[in-house]
Amino acid sequence: MNAETRNNSQGKGRDTAKPKTDTAKLPHLATLAEYAVDTWQRGILYADVIRQRGNQYQAHLAERVPNVLNFLSEVVMSGKDLPRPVNYWLVRIVPPHDKPADHMKRPFVVIDPRAGHGPGIGGFKVDSEIGVIIDAGHPCYFIGFLPDPIEGQTIEDVMQAEAAFLERIIELHPCPEGKPAVIGNCQAGWQILMTASIRPELFGPIIVAGAPLSYWAGWRGRDPMRYTAGLLGGSWLTAMSSDMGAGRFDGAWLVQNFENLNPANTLWNKQHHLYANVDTEAPRYLDFEKYWGGYVYLNDVEMQYIVDNLFIGNRLATAELHTSDGVRIDLRNIRSPIVVFCSYGDNITPPPQALGWITDLYGDDEDVLTHDQTIIYATHESVGHLGIFVSGAVSRKEHHKFTTNIDLIDVLPAGIYRATITEPAQRNVVAPINNFELSIEPTNVASVREIVQPDPESDRRFNAVAQLSKINLGLYRQFLQPWVRHTFTPQAAQWLQAMHPLRVSYEWWSDHNPLAPQIAEAAIKVREQRVTIDEDNPFLQMQRIVSKAITQTLDQWRDMRDSGYERAFEWIYDSPWMRILAGQTGSDEPARAVPCTSVDHDTLVQQKLAKLRAELAEGGAVEAGIRALIYIHRFCSSIDERRANLMLELHQPDCHRGFDMASFRHTVRRQANIMRLDEVAAIVTLPQLLARDNPARIREIAYAIERTRDFAPLSAAEESGLSQMLKVFEVAADSPALRLP
């Protein structure tokens, strides 16, 4: 036996051990090499996408009317032509040839937020609010804005412009189905509600999506953005930012506030997601970045009004605002149904801020009814702020059901309702993706209060912030403002705005950079030779683990930061010296201003009640049928769209002669109020109403009422009520002696 054989048999030979080690390492070296090549290729492609983003940013700013609206449109009115010119404009969305608009349907108006970004987000893709409206066959309009405000324009000027736009739409669409339905996203939500409070006659149903209305509201341990003003000492910094901008407030600062809320996404996730999916993610990324980087400006007067009266003062939710001619901006003046859509996943406009105005303005359900207000709220469990009006899934579900059931929403009687959208119990597997059912459940102010969770102690702190803000703003205007305005000329302001960190992030890397051509050329070659690696590559798995660890670390830092903000805020504004400075001398003082009621309100309520009593026996078979349906379903826990649409069928014979939705809405709401006023008398007088119609018409309406069994099994109470009503109609149809002359 030679030495090599002897060493092998003993397991000690160096030559035998070496091949085994190399064989074990080769797969790892191969996967490492694959990952290294893939990383290099992804890096080149990522850099090229960022280059395209810079080019897109500069081209977008060069547009005459920068927007991300992805639908053909034509200008109808320009706000520059109004007596008080503004930088807003009204356009008509031109529907595709295969989806023409039905001009017998009510028009919709989508208003995008002027919150730092440019307009168009409500229609920047097919699955959007505008896309849903087009699919439903409604005429659609869009209200957008230009990047720069008109010198001297105010929030009140914008409100008047919105009213003028709606007047124009009503002229173009004298629609029998009703006044325009209006959708206000985010900041446009509070803006359009302010307009509706002073011009309620112009509005059909109003949908506000992700709109902050009660700025002091929020849950403890969450919603840190509401503490910002208190920690900065109020709105003096807003005034200084506007002065440094030579009278313009840079919307990039608002976007920066949004970015700061989620540092993990801002600093890492967004970039890593693009890098990790660079082969497919570029189009979606560039589409969104075109909107996200389209910064706009506000006038100093506009921005100061918003911060002082809304963000810090919270005066919209307590009806303390007035127009220049003394008209009070009171949301209780709105007579159109208001749909409030918000999400528990929204950290910019959480549900308390979207719904808190209801508990601010209304003490109880009777208060809602006496103001003849209809409020429907819907909540989403997880979607983020932009997803409320951008997500395709939300558009296909929530916005689709709101749009297709806008007439149902319009006729709901006064009260608080909760809307839920679910898949049907017996869903057809081949049904379309938007086969959902809308159910509207009558609820009360107490249920809203459970969501909002009002906290008087928290309100006292924010009230102290509002008082301190007035003091600091006065000091700034007295001592610093003249110096700042003298220092920052228009040229200096432009330089400062151009150097904003968010703008620089778009500007620094584009075709203007000398290295860009080399990257663009390399990206072309990489795409030609691109070979992706297997998903189970261990180094790729390690990359994902590291990315997840970075995200978790940034999230933990965010949570610690937000907790520190909250503790600091409470420590500062709970201190006795701050309470004294804010003028809070005792704990028995109200935490916030109590919304006042018009001195004539009680008188008007009594007049309306007297009128309802006089109308108990007025009407005919249609009024009787609507009253009967309300009676049958008075114990029903929800109103689904099929049962509600049955009321429309009672008017069906008149549809070909022209259906008057306004008249029908008035009839339904009046009969609901009569039933609330005196249910017994309302039922007793049914024969008098039926006596005014012929037997054929009575039997037709009775048959429509009986069809309520077709939709779902009736409860015992509903079945009893249906039998009772059918008997009343049968007697009336078979008793010609009861016919009134």
Side-chain angles (χ1 to χ4, degrees), residues 79-80 82-89 111-114 143-146 148-150 152-166 187-188 190-196 198-199 202-203 297-299 301-303 305-306:
K80 292 183 177 181
L82 296 173
R84 292 285 300 173
V86 296
N87 65 328
Y88 280 71
W89 41 274
I111 308 175
D112 263 3
R114 189 159 158 243
I143 296 177
F145 44 85
L146 300 172
D148 292 298
I150 302 298
Q153 81 177 40
T154 65
I155 293 297
E156 185 176 337
D157 294 335
V158 176
M159 292 164 55
Q160 296 295 345
E162 290 171 340
F165 293 157
L166 287 172
Q187 302 283 10
W190 59 256
Q191 182 109 34
I192 204 62
L193 288 179
M194 290 173 68
T195 305
I198 61 173
R199 296 294 304 276
L202 299 176
F203 289 80
Y297 298 90
L298 291 90
N299 265 344
V301 177
E302 291 180 291
M303 193 63 209
Y305 180 97
I306 294 170

